[in-house]
Amino acid sequence: MNFVEPGRRAIHSPAPLQRSEGGASLSARWISGSTRLHALRQTSPCRIFFPRRKDPAALEAILVNSSGGLVEGDRISISVEVGCGAKVIMRTQAAEKIYRSLTRETVVATDLVIGRGGFLDWRPQETILFDGARLSRSQSFVVEADSRFLSAEVVIFGRIARGETFAHGELRDAVTVRCGGRLLFADRLRLGGEIAALRHARFGLGGSAGIASVLYFGPRAARLLPFARARAEQRCGGATLVNGILLARFLHPDETRLRGAAAEFLDELSLEIATTDSRDAA
């Protein structure tokens, strides 16, 4: 069978190609004054590594996709459970690349559960959408009233260094936050069809090279809004509060400045959160 995309040559695929259906899950517990790994399960192409830390209060985990990127038909599921009072810091080894699709979409589902008094710092590196990629991604947070999490997601539209832009394909992105069975936050983004026009629309994405989003949920989120708003506005972004959840979003036509703005904002927000916690504890 021959598959043809606009502006692309025909690609012959005589047989179904091998696809990945893997994932990783971990749970952590607070035991004897430290956060410890309670359970771990991983299937190819996902792996989780644990760097050594001097501070036992937090468990640091590095998520690795050993395949080097995701293609059409791949289905990846990630699950993280932070027990009561535990603290988990989650990162990825590299940017996630979503390659061009011929027929099917790539699916990534992430479920994050934070127990009472727990804290999750979830900051994967950026997701890069190759031209023609079709990505369906969902991210679900389940929290308690005194849980906390800090999350950052960056999506880049195309291989900018190669002069490529994300003009064909589809992006479906969904984020939800639930507390005590109640939906607090739901955010959905869909890009498809005339993607270039949507990206450059004045009331769309304004020609941005990507989109960066930061979420913070915690008992003191409302108090952080003035600080977050001032810092975000200095860096091509804005911040608001939705049902007690701090949301900041960044757009910029330069991919390097977009990533830098999100990273700098996260560093400053993390420091302010720690300062606020110390002040309240005193």
Side-chain angles (χ1 to χ4, degrees):
M1 181 180 296
N2 292 327
F3 302 101
V4 184
E5 286 190 5
R8 302 283 186 177
R9 63 181 178 84
I11 296 179
H12 183 66
S13 179
L17 302 176
Q18 183 177 357
R19 296 299 179 239
S20 296
E21 289 196 16
S25 65
L26 73 83
S27 63
R29 298 287 186 270
W30 179 257
I31 302 174
S32 302
S34 64
T35 298
R36 301 183 184 181
L37 180 66
H38 176 70
L40 174 65
R41 187 172 185 270
Q42 49 194 0
T43 55
S44 183
C46 296
R47 293 290 183 267
I48 298 179
F49 296 93
F50 301 92
R52 293 182 178 179
R53 288 179 57 87
K54 294 182 179 180
D55 181 11
L59 175 71
E60 184 172 0
I62 306 297
L63 178 64
V64 177
N65 176 6
S66 60
S67 70
L70 299 175
V71 299
E72 60 168 307
D74 285 353
R75 305 180 69 89
I76 301 297
S77 61
I78 307 297
S79 174
V80 179
E81 180 187 356
V82 182
C84 298
K87 180 179 181 180
V88 173
I89 299 170
M90 197 87 175
R91 302 287 188 265
T92 58
Q93 181 191 41
E96 188 64 271
K97 296 178 284 294
I98 311 297
Y99 295 110
R100 181 168 63 98
S101 171
L102 299 177
T103 56
R104 295 180 291 170
E105 63 185 6
T106 303
V107 178
V108 179
T110 305
D111 294 298
L112 308 165
V113 179
I114 305 102
R116 289 181 293 107
F119 179 69
L120 173 64
D121 189 337
W122 169 263
R123 298 191 219 174
Q125 293 193 45
E126 68 270 20
T127 297
I128 303 173
L129 299 177
F130 282 45
D131 189 28
R134 293 187 175 95
L135 173 63
S136 176
R137 188 172 66 170
S138 63
Q139 193 170 96
S140 169
F141 292 89
V142 177
V143 300
E144 301 291 338
D146 59 350
S147 309
R148 294 188 301 158
F149 74 77
L150 178 62
S151 167
E153 291 283 352
V154 180
V155 177
I156 302 298
F157 301 137
R159 294 177 293 178
I160 308 300
R162 293 284 300 271
E164 178 186 281
T165 60
F166 179 56
H168 305 94
E170 184 175 38
L171 169 63
R172 290 188 292 148
D173 209 1
V175 181
T176 59
V177 180
R178 288 180 171 83
C179 180
R182 176 175 170 242
L183 181 64
L184 294 182
F185 180 84
D187 185 37
R188 293 184 182 274
L189 171 66
R190 182 180 181 276
L191 289 176
E194 296 296 328
I195 295 176
L198 292 172
R199 284 184 49 216
H200 291 88
R202 181 178 179 185
F203 295 102
L205 298 177
S208 182
I211 182 169
S213 300
V214 176
L215 287 175
Y216 175 69
F217 174 85
R220 305 176 187 88
R223 290 168 52 186
L224 293 167
L225 179 58
F227 174 88
R229 183 168 284 166
R231 294 299 188 272
E233 289 175 354
Q234 293 173 358
R235 296 181 172 86
C236 64
T240 188
L241 198 70
V242 181
N243 286 335
I245 299 172
L246 183 66
L247 167 66
R249 189 155 283 161
F250 301 85
L251 299 172
H252 199 281
D254 183 272
E255 172 257 350
T256 301
R257 292 190 62 182
L258 175 64
R259 288 191 303 161
E264 292 171 2
F265 176 82
L266 278 164
D267 288 342
E268 293 183 346
L269 182 62
S270 297
L271 181 59
E272 184 67 13
I273 291 171
T275 302
T276 303
D277 288 347
S278 299
R279 188 185 305 123
D280 291 345

